[in-house]
Structures are given as C-alpha cells and as structure tokens.
Amino acid sequence: MAYAVTWLFFGAIWWLIAYCRGDLDHLEDQTWTPCVNNVNGFVSAFLFSIETETTIGYGYRVITDQCPEGTVLLLLQAILGSMVNAFMVGCMFVKISQPNKRAETLVFSKHAVISLRDDKLCLMFRVGDLRSSHIVGANIRAKLIKSKQTQEGEFIPLDQTDMSVGFETGDDRLFLVSPLVISHEIDSRSPFWDVSQAQLEKDDFEIVVILEGMVEATGMTCQARSSYLVEEVMWGHRFSPMMSLAEGFFDVDYGAFHHSFEVATPTCSARELSLAAARHEAHLYWSISSQLDEQKPCQELAGQNLIGNSTVNSSANGKKEVGLGVGGGATDKEEPAGGGGERNGSVATDQSEA
C-alpha cells in the first residue's frame, strides 16, 4: 500500500505538470519540447513515476532539460523513494524477527491460587508451552502493581514491587518440557505477608507475570505476559494435576490446565500463621520441660539430704556437728574427743550461736 500510494501520488503530479504546461495539447507537434517525453496521459505519467522511483529506466520516457519543476520533482521522488524503501525493509525485518506467534503458544492459567505448600502459604500460578519445540533459557518474573503512600505522605499510583519466584534458588529459570506451577512463598519479604483472606478480598492490585526466552529454531527472544487482578486470585485452592503415567510415558492433559479445587487453608495471614506455629513449638518445648521437672523433685530432695549429711556430719576428731532438721530448727551438741569435755582448750558453742 505504501508503494502504491507513492507511485499514484507522484504519477498524478507528473500528469498535472504536463497538463499545466500544455504538453498534452502538443502531442503531435515535433517542435514542442515537453517536460517528459512520451507522456500522453495519466497512465503514461503513472508508469513514468514507477520507473523513476524504482530506478528501472526503460528509456522510452525521459525528462528533458526544459522543465525546472520536473527536475525538482525528480529529486523529491528519488529521496522519498529511498526513504520508503528503507522504511518498508525495516518494517518487514522487524515483523519477521519478532516471534509473536511463538509467544502466543506460551499460556498462563486464568487464575492464581493461594494455599499451603510445605506448611507455608504460597501464591501459585501455572505456565505451559503448547509447542513441542522448547524455549531456550526461559525465565519468569512477577511484579505486584499497587498504589502506595510513603511515610512522608507521597502518593505513588502505580508502585511496582518484585515478587520472588525463586530468584535466590534459581527456580525462576524454567525448563518448559511440561506445564509448571510457579510458586511465590509468602514470607516476611513478600508484599502479602500481612494479608489475610478478608483483606485480600478488599484490596486492589494487579500481579503481572513475565515469561522470557529464546526460540529454539531462530534464536530470537520472545516474551509472553499475563496478569491477575484481585478477583482472579483464589484463596484456598490448588491446581488440579495434569500429568498421568500411561504405558511408560507421561500423558499431559491440557484440558485441566486452568482447573483448580478447594483445599483446607487457614484464612489468617502468613504472619499470624507463623506466630501460631512459633507458639505451638514453644508450647511443645515447655511441655517437655515440665514433664522432666515432674520427675526431678525426688532426686532434688534426696540430693538436699545428701548435701545436708555431708555438711553436718563433717566433724571428725571431736569437732562439732551441726544438724539441720526438716522443720528448719538447729541443734548443737559437743562431742568430746577422747572422753574429755574440752579439746585443746576449746569452749562449747551456744545453741543460739549455732
């Protein structure tokens, strides 16, 4: 269409020049010098425009030196024709090089789900590749787009927050030989750390997921994107299994790609769930300690008696003995050494002093 429009446009101008100069009225006059030889109508002017812009040059129609306006038009058409050629070649190259059709075969689940995985709340969605040729170096990213107000009062209408889908562990690099469930663990670094089921239903956000990779056949980079709004995030659901083993091969049922089912999931936030788990572990720890304490009193009482006996009965060779009774009273008695009342001039100790 671009080529046809330019050819018709300049053809009309060439015909208009011939008509205004009177070349069409002196077709049989051999003494008349026209602007373009052998131009006798619009069709011949259109053909001359094609020859000029495409540099074909059959030699039958040629511009003369008696037409300055034709010379200026020839320069403009030559320059504009080169620009049109460059533009069209660029558009065709870009159209061919971008594998848009390949990106259309990368599918995402219609809904995202939140449920427990390994006793931790996780936000999950499913991705799959409908073609048998694999995407090389596929990696996935997720961003939460939500309005935000800073502590200083600044309002950010479309704040973007990264959601970890395995960047630290390398799980964000995918091998899409079969559909995969991408999991975002809701931990203390997650933007959903304090979000419960009731808060989720009242919130307003959008989760954008981006899958990038290279086409195996051409080596070109393709990108597929999808997003999940609040009403497309289902709390307490899990994706249905798609793969089944049949005759030694795994059969993938893409009919269940978007299916999910309800599972038992706490409605509290991940923070509250973590605190409850910590309290439960602490309760078990103190329960074990209390059970051990119940077995200690007898040993401790026995140990106290042994200690009392060892300290009280430590007198030897006529030294004094101090006995502590169970009631807390104190007794004092002096034992003579060798049958005497005093030993080495020592004086008996009073009961009150004891």
Side-chain angles (χ1 to χ4, degrees):
M1 182 62 66
Y3 282 116
V5 169
T6 54
W7 293 339
L8 288 172
F9 174 73
F10 283 101
I13 296 179
W14 286 115
W15 176 83
L16 184 62
I17 291 176
Y19 178 79
C20 294
R21 292 183 76 254
D23 295 342
L24 301 180
D25 299 331
H26 301 79
L27 297 178
E28 303 297 334
D29 190 356
Q30 299 296 330
T31 61
W32 181 264
T33 304
C35 183
V36 180
N37 291 328
N38 300 315
V39 172
N40 52 11
F42 178 78
V43 176
S44 59
F46 175 69
L47 293 176
F48 177 74
S49 175
I50 296 176
E51 295 175 13
T52 302
E53 189 168 336
T54 58
T55 65
I56 294 176
Y58 289 115
Y60 183 70
R61 297 177 182 87
V62 59
I63 190 171
T64 62
D65 55 358
Q66 302 297 324
C67 183
E69 61 272 17
T71 305
V72 175
L73 182 61
L74 180 64
L75 294 175
L76 291 176
Q77 187 172 4
I79 295 173
L80 186 59
S82 300
M83 295 175 63
V84 171
N85 289 332
F87 177 75
M88 294 303 299
V89 170
C91 288
M92 294 174 64
F93 177 77
V94 170
K95 187 65 177 178
I96 295 174
S97 63
Q98 288 185 352
N100 294 328
K101 297 297 182 181
R102 186 64 181 90
E104 292 176 358
T105 58
L106 299 174
V107 292
F108 297 85
S109 58
K110 295 180 180 178
H111 297 87
V113 299
I114 295 179
S115 60
L116 289 175
R117 174 175 278 192
D118 295 333
D119 293 334
K120 297 180 181 179
L121 278 178
C122 296
L123 187 146
M124 295 169 285
F125 56 92
R126 180 179 275 169
V127 297
D129 190 1
L130 300 179
R131 291 192 183 183
S132 57
S133 60
H134 303 316
I135 294 292
V136 179
N139 64 85
I140 193 164
R141 295 178 290 125
K143 285 186 175 292
L144 176 68
I145 301 178
K146 182 181 178 181
S147 300
K148 175 184 177 181
Q149 187 170 5
T150 62
Q151 297 179 359
E152 294 77 14
E154 180 185 1
F155 179 74
I156 304 176
L158 294 177
D159 181 65
Q160 298 184 10
T161 305
D162 284 331
M163 298 175 54
S164 176
V165 288
F167 178 77
E168 296 83 1
T169 59
D171 293 337
D172 61 331
R173 295 185 290 270
L174 308 179
F175 180 52
L176 280 178
V177 67
S178 63
L180 300 177
V181 175
I182 309 301
S183 175
H184 164 68
E185 181 179 336
I186 304 178
D187 53 10
S188 58
R189 297 173 298 176
S190 173
F192 296 99
W193 175 243
D194 295 318
V195 178
S196 63
Q197 183 179 4
Q199 294 173 346
L200 181 70
E201 296 174 354
K202 301 177 183 178
D203 210 342
D204 185 17
F205 60 83
E206 183 175 5
I207 300 173
V208 178
V209 292
I210 304 170
L211 177 61
E212 296 178 336
M214 291 190 302
V215 181
E216 186 179 19
T218 61
M220 296 297 178
T221 302
C222 67
Q223 183 183 93
R225 296 181 299 272
S226 183
S227 67
Y228 301 99
L229 300 176
V230 178
E231 56 270 15
E232 296 174 338
V233 178
M234 306 174 66
W235 189 289
H237 282 247
R238 184 182 301 165
F239 286 110
S240 303
M242 297 178 54
M243 302 181 63
S244 60
L245 182 62
E247 299 181 357
F249 296 93
F250 284 102
D251 186 17
V252 180
D253 181 17
Y254 277 95
F257 185 84
H258 304 285
H259 292 177
S260 62
F261 59 94
E262 294 186 6
V263 291
T265 305
T267 59
C268 61
S269 63
R271 178 192 288 274
E272 296 172 349
L273 186 63
S274 177
L275 292 176
R279 293 193 194 99
H280 182 68
E281 292 178 0
H283 175 71
L284 292 178
Y285 175 78
W286 290 110
S287 298
I288 295 173
S289 301
S290 61
Q291 292 177 4
L292 295 176
D293 292 340
E294 292 176 358
Q295 301 175 1
K296 286 183 179 180
C298 296
Q299 300 176 358
E300 291 178 354
L301 291 176
Q304 290 177 1
N305 293 334
L306 291 175
I307 294 173
N309 292 335
S310 63
T311 56
V312 171
N313 299 326
S314 61
S315 63
N317 298 326
K319 293 181 182 179
K320 67 178 180 179
E321 287 187 2
V322 179
L324 298 178
V326 178
T331 59
D332 180 17
K333 69 177 181 177
E334 183 181 351
E335 217 176 73
E342 293 180 359
R343 179 178 179 273
N344 298 329
S346 61
V347 183
T349 309
D350 288 1
Q351 183 177 1
S352 60
E353 186 180 353

